[in-house]
Amino acid sequence: MSPPQLLTDPFLQLPTESSVRVVWFTEFAGSGHIVAYGKNLAHTAIAKTTKLSRVREDQNSRVATQSRDGQIYQHPVMRDIWRHEAEVKDLTPNIRVSYHVTSVREDGESVSSKVFTLAPAPQPGTPLKILLTSDHQIKPMVAANLQKVVETVGYVDAVWFAGDLANIPDRASEWFDDNRGGAFFPCLQGRAKFEMSKNGTTTFYTGGEIIQHAPMFTCIGNHEIMGRFGCESLNTEFDKTIPRSIAQNLYGKDSLKNNSFNTDTYEELFTLPQSPEGGKTYYSVTLGDVGLIVLYATNMWRTHLLDADARGRYNESAKDLNKPENWGYGQHIYEAIAKGSTQYNWLVQELNSPEFQQAKYKVVMLHHPPHSLGDNVVPAYTEPVQIIERDTLGNIKAVRYEYPKEADYLIRDVMPLLEAAGVQLVFYGHSHLWNRFVSSTQVHFIETSNVGNSYGAAWGDRKRKVPIGYREDYVELGDPYGLEPVIPTIHPFLGEDGHPTPYIASNDFTVFSIFDTGTATVSSYLFDTSKPDSEVIKFDEFELKQS
């Protein structure tokens, strides 16, 4: 039998004033999983072990051997992975100590990680460097992006991840060991080996050793959500989410989650702050001088295509018109956030809490963009209005969906709350580009999700694909809600017309942003992967007005 291995390095979660959680994964249940820490690693903390309940591989998985037990996957197959978590206590604020983890396999053989460092939650007044990132989704430039983070700014103090961590959340290899070398944890731990060939040059990128030292705070994006359980592939399961109310009508209350959608794997992977109302799905936390509120604001992504066979954001497939169990129900919203909803009422409380109001910096993180040049900001963030067209005999001719712009929950309901509470920064992802905006009340909005690929920006000659002849007037160019995008302040890039562009949407450029609380600045950096020997460029920077 080969020596035991850790499936991941340890990583940090949920820091408090005197403690932090250490988490890691193995492919054996084992025993004696511990964290050794402090001077000479003399102190120990015993880990609790749980098994992930839904992670699987299927015919689209890219695992090391592309098979297990000698068989190539033909359908989803459970994969045995265990999670270990220990709470390291009695820590001193602002004092960083060494640690490593050890796991013992059932046969008594053990394996230990390298030595890393940990610390409890930072105290007010402590300057922090926080990485802003999102939309990794096992995309091709992520390893390069995170490697350049460490090479450019060194270790960061925290990671804020605005959703879409993996692509198919129940596919284990996307998190741990995809054979292309760019799985989620390896990229964030400097253990990746992603090969990139451009312009005749091949370069290997390792990602960055980041979350072994820095706690990560995440939010739910549409790629954290799985759909109906038991389909022929994990991709099909992911694509088959339907609203809970529809699932209950179709299938009753039994196995409601398995017939609608769930975030089980995401919640099993991470230990996050929790709210009584939303659990891990929306929460608030204070780090040093920063108050951070994390929202659950995402909907099902559907194609913009209007083809007869498309189950899209604007219509159902013609072949399924009499099969409502196969409908997609448009870009339905997963968690209510409209005025009067549980999440909305919780947000009102958090924005007005003493902890948040006393923070020097007030930040809100969510996945769905309130302002963007990307395609995903259209249609409006509101529940689809279903329109069924019938012929004279009552037969269904078409099923369409409208999204009234004036009913956008983020613009109509949430943004006025944030402005009234003095929020300085709203951070999000989803559209796979970099762009930012400033409101008339000096709220800064930044989308820095072009870490691996881009689908372009609705600017100049590139228009969004929107339906014609619908009741709603969908916006083809710019931000649908009228904010002008900000031209990068340090190194603007020129478009084909020779004028500076207010976005980064190249599939050669990968972008990351750093929030430095010591200088009150958010700085954005760019690396051109087509020129692997080139320098990282700081192309934009802005300052937050302190409360």
Side-chain angles (χ1 to χ4, degrees), residues 245-264:
S245 59
I246 300 296
Q248 185 164 333
N249 289 337
L250 290 172
Y251 306 107
K253 293 183 179 180
D254 294 338
S255 301
L256 182 59
K257 180 163 53 175
N258 284 345
N259 285 307
S260 55
F261 60 87
N262 73 86
T263 56
D264 286 10

Side-chain angles (χ1 to χ4, degrees), residues 53-308:
S53 67
R54 285 185 179 257
V55 292
R56 291 160 287 161
E57 304 292 359
D58 72 346
Q59 57 270 47
N60 297 308
S61 293
R62 299 286 298 268
V63 293
T65 61
Q66 202 67 12
S67 66
R68 285 184 179 273
D69 302 323
Q71 298 294 318
I72 296 176
Y73 301 118
Q74 300 297 324
H75 54 80
V77 176
M78 291 297 300
R79 183 170 171 188
D80 295 334
I81 295 176
W82 284 265
R83 181 184 192 270
H84 315 288
E85 176 181 314
E87 185 176 10
V88 177
K89 300 180 179 179
D90 301 321
L91 299 174
T92 303
N94 297 335
I95 299 298
R96 188 166 283 276
V97 300
S98 299
Y99 79 99
H100 75 174
V101 304
T102 298
S103 286
V104 181
R105 196 167 58 188
E106 288 83 349
D107 61 1
E109 293 290 314
S110 66
V111 58
S112 297
S113 72
K114 290 167 49 182
V115 175
F116 307 106
T117 63
L118 56 77
Q123 295 291 293
T126 305
L128 306 175
K129 290 182 180 178
I130 301 170
L131 171 63
L132 310 182
T133 190
S134 72
D135 296 83
H136 288 190
Q137 292 178 239
I138 208 158
K139 296 298 183 182
M141 294 191 291
V142 175
N145 180 279
L146 297 173
Q147 180 173 321
K148 294 304 173 180
V149 169
V150 174
E151 291 177 1
T152 304
V153 301
Y155 291 142
V156 297
D157 299 291
V159 177
W160 292 351
F161 204 122
D164 283 8
L165 287 71
N167 194 49
I168 306 295
D170 281 5
R171 183 173 289 129
S173 50
E174 292 193 12
W175 296 102
F176 301 110
D177 53 5
D178 184 283
N179 65 15
R180 289 163 290 186
F184 177 83
F185 284 108
C187 282
L188 279 159
Q189 297 190 319
R191 293 159 56 102
K193 190 178 181 181
F194 192 89
E195 179 182 349
M196 187 178 295
S197 296
K198 292 194 175 187
N199 299 331
T201 300
T202 298
T203 307
F204 286 91
Y205 294 100
T206 61
E209 187 179 298
I210 297 173
I211 58 175
Q212 295 99 318
H213 305 271
M216 180 166 56
F217 299 90
T218 59
C219 78
I220 293 176
N222 53 300
H223 283 272
E224 275 63 71
I225 298 167
M226 285 296 288
R228 283 178 272 183
F229 193 78
C231 297
E232 64 272 15
S233 74
L234 295 177
N235 291 51
T236 303
E237 285 188 18
F238 171 78
D239 192 51
K240 282 195 170 184
T241 71
I242 60 174
R244 294 243 196 266
S245 59
I246 300 296
Q248 185 164 333
N249 289 337
L250 290 172
Y251 306 107
K253 293 183 179 180
D254 294 338
S255 301
L256 182 59
K257 180 163 53 175
N258 284 345
N259 285 307
S260 55
F261 60 87
N262 73 86
T263 56
D264 286 10
T265 293
Y266 168 81
E267 295 190 56
E268 290 178 2
L269 286 171
F270 301 104
T271 297
L272 299 165
Q274 297 192 43
S275 63
E277 297 84 353
K280 297 178 182 180
T281 65
Y282 53 88
Y283 58 87
S284 64
V285 65
T286 301
L287 290 174
D289 291 327
V290 185
L292 174 67
I293 292 176
V294 177
L295 301 178
Y296 184 178
T298 191
N299 54 7
M300 178 61 194
W301 185 90
R302 300 282 184 205
T303 179
H304 61 266
L305 296 177
L306 293 168
D307 300 356

Side-chain angles (χ1 to χ4, degrees), residues 252-380:
K253 293 183 179 180
D254 294 338
S255 301
L256 182 59
K257 180 163 53 175
N258 284 345
N259 285 307
S260 55
F261 60 87
N262 73 86
T263 56
D264 286 10
T265 293
Y266 168 81
E267 295 190 56
E268 290 178 2
L269 286 171
F270 301 104
T271 297
L272 299 165
Q274 297 192 43
S275 63
E277 297 84 353
K280 297 178 182 180
T281 65
Y282 53 88
Y283 58 87
S284 64
V285 65
T286 301
L287 290 174
D289 291 327
V290 185
L292 174 67
I293 292 176
V294 177
L295 301 178
Y296 184 178
T298 191
N299 54 7
M300 178 61 194
W301 185 90
R302 300 282 184 205
T303 179
H304 61 266
L305 296 177
L306 293 168
D307 300 356
D309 291 334
R311 180 175 59 190
R313 61 184 67 169
Y314 301 114
N315 60 278
E316 297 291 358
S317 171
K319 69 179 184 296
D320 289 330
L321 292 180
N322 294 304
K323 299 176 181 178
E325 68 275 14
N326 290 341
W327 292 358
Y329 297 91
Q331 292 198 159
H332 55 91
I333 291 173
Y334 290 117
E335 180 70 20
I337 200 170
K339 186 174 183 178
S341 67
T342 300
Q343 185 176 193
Y344 177 92
N345 293 337
W346 169 84
L347 176 59
V348 171
Q349 284 187 316
E350 289 303 313
L351 289 170
N352 291 287
S353 68
E355 294 82 3
F356 191 75
Q357 281 301 308
Q358 291 167 13
K360 184 182 292 185
Y361 305 107
K362 301 175 180 64
V363 184
V364 170
M365 178 169 71
L366 68 162
H367 182 66
H368 195 90
H371 297 284
S372 179
L373 300 179
D375 291 340
N376 291 330
V377 78
V378 171

